[in-house]
Amino acid sequence: MAGSENGISSHDALFQWAKNQAGYLSEEIELSKDQEKGFCIRAKSNSVISAGSLIARCPITATLSVLNALDAPGFSCHGTVFPAKFLELNCFTIQCFLLMDQYHFGSKSYWYPFFQTLSPPSEVGEFTPFQRQDLEWLDGTNLASALQNRLDDWRTDFDLGLALLRKLNFQRAIDGVYTWDMFRWAAMVFSSRGFSSAVLMETHAADIARPYGRDRPEHRALLGVFEQTFAVLVPVLDMLNYRPVSRVVWHANANHVGLQILEDLQPGQEVCNNYGPKDNDQLILGYGFAIPSNPFDSFAVSVFVPAGSPLATVYDQRREHAKGTTSSVQSSGKEHLYQIFNPSHPTSKPATNLHRSVFSDDLLDAILILSANTSELQSRTFETHRSFLDPHPNERFGRLMANAFTQLQLECQAKVRNLQIHDPSNKGKLPINQMQRYANINRQSQLRIVITAVEACKYCLDIARGLRSVSIPDQSTVSPELYEFLKRAPPTITHGELFNFDSVVKQFWPALAQPLKMIAEIFDVAHRKVHFGSAAARQSLIDRLALMIVVYLTRACHGSADTQSRARWWIQSMTKWYPTDSTELCSPTEDFVKHLELVMNADTEQALAAYAEIGDWVAKQNHEDWDEPWWDPEKLCWAWNVVEEEGVQIPNGPYLLYIPQLDEATTNSHAGP
């Protein structure tokens, strides 16, 4: 990125130096200074530059990279001769020490005219590109940790490189020429101005240098370098600022790297480069700026993969399957970063349903595995190459998808709170410099992404609860971002498959609405008398106990003519997935008995009446020999476990029971991706 303040004369000297090295600059461009961007290149005020024009060309000999430190043919080291052992370090470390060394040479350096246009090391702060006063504008964002991680990596590279050079008795290292401040400056120069090594791959010099590592022992450090990606400084061309839609193409021939425009430039229009798809995190860290409404912005979320967990098992199996291939597979015992997209993100646009538009496939895959209950995990065929997003027809998916939405909603709500709590704007502060403004642009973009993700999860869960239609909503009822998603990628979760206590009673057991409601109230009153954590936790327990009674009754009366076919099919499926003779499922735990006794020992007039009414009804409907009283502890325990496994806890809402639609349940194709 252009931004040096060293004066027009130093840039003119750079242009002349480049021409002297057999470089090329179009006669139709000129140097310009922008208050915000610094120095840049524009079309002259009297020139229209036609599409297809070559703007500038830099000779390979003028570039600066690790290849110079390795003294590869065509890439001279220009006096910096590091010990061979040092050249075995990573490319980034080597070239940063090379840049420091050449900068130390001052006017004797081959690249001196180029260095004169760069900000000096004294102007690079500890937290470059930010100053310490700017850091609060990063708090809560992905950028804060990314900045610290980068500094930690740089510090490790510097310490290792310096220690090795001193051990090898390299005099300038012993004399203190290389400092941490200088290294940060060099690292930032490569980060902000460097191009990918791909610009050199097709050059004649690269073709000559490739076999040297193999054929000549003195150049063995070249072995494998061309298979890596490293940064390359390309003087003059690195002055071009970024515009995400700029139409340009890079050309590499035998001895030069050049830039050609693919669109007309009007008089005074800036000549811009296109760095490729980069979000604002990358632009700020790499180049020191951000752009509003960046289509490549996404929000990174981390998921820890506990060793021994189902997710770790799947990842381990996939990694074993991927051996000998180029596939990248996550590892257990580590945190992995996944993405949430904005509506304009290129990865989001091809998706044909809402959840795969908003969330990356690898994130959905991980959350689905973490959200799966025992029977869902057992129903999956663990093919190592297949994502959980691609179920076979005989695999269960509806509750799993709904539960994944609840987990994603909780995660995103936490991210929203974190971004808002740390936002200096909420403390009455305003950005006072350009980097703070860029940081704020980035924060607001991340905030919009995660708020939209929360809204998308709620939207899908409302459909599953029967509170929303599956059709595209009126534009005024959702955010503009969610509407953009929905226009091209509708939700595929099935309508009306999640039930709270009231809705399941109304749907399947309306004749018992009054006594069941009374039992739910008994649960509530009983648990108000004891300390049981937060109000939300107590309510969740009450919801689950009430739903337990519904499951219990459905099992007791599944053969009755009064039982709807959907409920009958569902309870038969539950007895298949959760065997009624399972000791594990039917043996009441001490904790379960404690909660059960609280409600079943209620001896109020209302409680006794409700129990009696339900008991009489069960006696008329059931076709089995039920013990007295009608609430058999083992069967209630089985029902409780079904509710635990087949339920979904809505964030800040009720605990719901998943009962698939009959038509989709019978074909096993509900709520697929």
Side-chain angles (χ1 to χ4, degrees):
M1 173 186 174
S4 171
E5 300 295 334
N6 288 332
I8 297 288
S9 60
S10 60
H11 286 79
D12 287 339
L14 172 64
F15 290 173
Q16 188 58 54
W17 174 79
K19 291 177 180 178
N20 293 342
Q21 308 302 314
Y24 167 80
L25 295 172
S26 169
E27 296 295 331
E28 297 177 293
I29 63 173
E30 62 183 2
L31 182 67
S32 176
K33 187 176 181 182
D34 182 275
Q35 184 175 1
E36 178 180 330
K37 299 178 180 179
F39 288 102
C40 58
I41 295 175
R42 299 183 184 275
K44 288 182 177 179
S45 58
N46 59 351
S47 296
V48 174
I49 306 180
S50 301
S53 298
L54 181 66
I55 295 297
R57 187 173 59 208
C58 177
I60 298 301
T61 54
T63 64
L64 193 159
S65 71
V66 66
L67 296 175
N68 298 96
L70 299 177
D71 204 27
F75 301 93
S76 172
C77 67
H78 294 288
T80 296
V81 183
F82 288 126
K85 189 68 176 177
F86 177 79
L87 297 178
E88 296 176 7
L89 296 179
N90 66 72
C91 294
F92 182 76
T93 301
I94 295 170
Q95 62 193 25
C96 284
F97 274 87
L98 167 67
L99 183 54
M100 288 191 291
D101 201 58
Q102 287 291 320
Y103 190 84
H104 170 69
F105 290 168
S107 60
K108 296 179 181 179
S109 171
Y110 169 75
W111 289 283
Y112 178 72
F114 173 54
F115 296 158
Q116 287 297 98
T117 65
L118 304 179
S119 298
S122 60
E123 293 184 9
V124 176
E126 180 182 359
F127 301 99
T128 184
F130 296 95
Q131 301 298 321
R132 184 175 292 276
Q133 64 179 353
D134 304 329
L135 295 184
E136 65 174 325
W137 290 88
L138 307 181
D139 288 346
T141 69
N142 291 333
L143 195 55
S145 58
L147 177 64
Q148 188 58 56
N149 289 340
R150 185 177 73 170
L151 281 172
D152 292 344
D153 290 342
W154 286 358
R155 185 74 208 204
T156 298
D157 289 338
F158 170 70
D159 289 343
L160 288 174
L162 183 61
L164 181 56
L165 285 175
R166 286 176 173 171
K167 182 179 179 181
L168 297 171
N169 294 316
F170 194 71
Q171 193 59 48
R172 287 191 290 280
I174 296 172
D175 293 343
V177 168
Y178 313 129
T179 66
W180 170 229
D181 288 346
M182 281 279 289
F183 188 91
R184 283 202 318 274
W185 167 80
M188 194 62 200
V189 169
F190 275 107
S191 174
S192 64
R193 307 181 77 99
F195 295 90
S196 167
S197 52
V199 301
L200 299 178
M201 292 301 101
E202 303 303 321
T203 63
H204 182 58
D207 289 338
I208 295 175
R210 280 189 182 94
Y212 266 56
R214 181 186 67 246
D215 300 338
R216 306 193 181 193
E218 68 273 20
H219 285 92
R220 66 181 181 276
L222 281 170
L223 279 172
V225 167
F226 286 93
E227 283 67 51
Q228 302 179 46
T229 298
F230 52 88
V232 179
L233 297 178
V234 185
V236 178
L237 289 175
D238 65 354
M239 290 180 58
L240 299 179
N241 288 307
Y242 172 74
R243 186 164 61 93
V245 294
S246 294
R247 298 180 59 204
V248 300
V249 63
W250 284 84
H251 291 293
N253 59 25
N255 300 303
H256 296 85
V257 175
L259 183 81
Q260 179 185 19
I261 59 171
L262 300 180
E263 58 187 349
D264 292 344
L265 293 182
Q266 300 305 310
Q269 185 176 349
E270 184 179 358
V271 182
C272 289
N273 188 15
N274 187 342
Y275 302 164
K278 294 188 182 295
D279 60 30
N280 277 334
D281 278 355
Q282 294 171 301
L283 292 177
I284 291 175
L285 273 183
Y287 308 100
F289 70 94
I291 57 175
S293 304
N294 187 338
F296 302 113
D297 267 355
S298 62
F299 187 86
V301 294
S302 62
V303 175
F304 181 73
V305 184
S309 68
L311 183 57
T313 300
V314 172
Y315 283 174
D316 290 344
Q317 290 174 344
R318 289 176 181 171
R319 191 168 54 256
E320 185 67 26
H321 179 78
K323 281 184 177 179
T325 71
T326 57
S327 300
S328 176
V329 181
Q330 295 92 335
S331 302
S332 60
K334 296 181 179 179
E335 278 194 342
H336 298 280
L337 289 179
Y338 306 101
Q339 302 301 314
I340 305 174
F341 303 119
N342 77 74
S344 301
H345 198 284
T347 304
S348 168
K349 288 186 174 181
T352 57
N353 55 54
L354 181 60
H355 53 274
R356 293 179 98 158
S357 288
V358 179
F359 304 102
S360 64
D361 278 5
D362 52 1
L363 172 58
L364 286 168
D365 187 45
I367 296 298
L368 283 168
I369 296 171
L370 290 172
S371 301
N373 63 31
T374 303
S375 66
E376 287 161 347
L377 288 170
Q378 291 173 346
S379 75
R380 310 297 297 196
T381 53
F382 278 101
E383 298 174 25
T384 53
H385 63 281
R386 189 167 61 86
S387 165
F388 250 53
L389 280 169
D390 303 313
H392 284 322
N394 65 337
E395 294 177 338
R396 312 172 69 209
F397 197 74
R399 191 216 70 93
L400 180 56
M401 194 70 236
N403 203 39
F405 281 130
T406 68
Q407 300 307 309
L408 288 165
Q409 181 181 332
L410 284 169
E411 176 71 19
C412 292
Q413 283 178 170
K415 299 300 183 185
V416 170
R417 286 193 297 271
N418 194 47
L419 285 166
Q420 292 175 334
I421 288 172
H422 293 95
D423 188 352
S425 301
N426 291 334
K427 304 171 187 176
K429 295 184 178 181
L430 295 174
I432 60 173
N433 60 43
Q434 191 60 60
M435 290 312 301
Q436 290 182 10
R437 285 188 282 273
Y438 287 147
N440 193 46
I441 288 172
N442 189 53
R443 179 189 299 275
Q444 299 311 316
S445 174
Q446 293 189 3
L447 194 54
R448 283 192 299 272
I449 290 171
V450 287
I451 286 176
T452 304
V454 170
E455 186 182 11
C457 291
K458 288 181 177 178
Y459 186 91
C460 291
L461 290 170
D462 282 350
I463 291 174
R465 296 174 67 182
L467 305 179
R468 273 190 180 273
S469 167
V470 294
S471 59
I472 296 179
D474 184 275
Q475 190 170 356
S476 63
T477 63
V478 295
S479 69
E481 291 82 6
L482 181 57
Y483 189 74
E484 284 300 310
F485 280 122
L486 291 170
K487 282 195 304 184
R488 66 171 187 266
T492 55
I493 198 163
T494 305
H495 184 269
E497 292 192 328
L498 291 180
F499 294 86
N500 64 14
F501 175 73
D502 290 337
S503 63
V504 76
V505 170
K506 182 179 179 180
Q507 176 79 21
F508 298 110
W509 302 112
L512 292 175
Q514 189 58 38
L516 285 172
K517 181 180 180 182
M518 177 58 66
I519 288 178
E521 291 176 355
I522 293 169
F523 290 169
D524 188 21
V525 170
H527 281 84
R528 286 182 185 276
K529 296 178 181 179
V530 296
H531 177 71
F532 190 78
S534 67
R538 182 177 57 80
Q539 186 57 54
S540 177
L541 173 64
I542 293 167
D543 289 342
R544 285 178 284 156
L545 287 169
L547 289 168
M548 173 192 71
I549 299 298
V550 174
V551 174
Y552 181 91
L553 290 177
T554 305
R555 177 187 167 190
C557 307
H558 71 273
S560 167
D562 291 338
T563 305
Q564 292 186 23
S565 56
R566 180 178 176 184
R568 187 180 302 115
W569 174 88
W570 177 76
I571 201 67
Q572 288 172 345
S573 298
M574 292 302 96
T575 57
K576 172 186 175 183
W577 291 113
Y578 306 102
T580 56
D581 59 354
S582 166
T583 302
E584 182 180 357
L585 294 172
C586 299
S587 299
T589 63
E590 182 178 345
D591 189 57
F592 175 74
V593 170
K594 177 182 65 176
H595 295 304
L596 196 60
E597 287 178 344
L598 278 174
V599 295
M600 292 309 179
N601 291 337
D603 57 0
T604 64
E605 183 178 340
Q606 295 91 337
L608 295 174
Y611 294 159
E613 185 173 349
I614 292 205
D616 290 344
W617 191 86
V618 170
K620 293 177 183 178
Q621 302 294 328
N622 79 69
H623 299 281
E624 299 181 48
D625 182 19
W626 291 77
D627 296 332
E628 293 293 342
W630 65 267
W631 54 83
D632 181 298
E634 289 189 358
K635 292 174 181 177
L636 282 171
C637 183
W638 178 88
W640 168 265
N641 282 311
V642 169
V643 171
E644 289 284 277
E645 291 291 301
E646 295 295 312
V648 174
Q649 178 64 61
I650 299 296
N652 307 314
Y655 190 89
L656 306 177
L657 186 62
Y658 173 72
I659 303 178
Q661 295 285 0
L662 179 60
D663 55 342
E664 297 193 0
T666 54
T667 58
N668 292 300
S669 60
H670 41 279

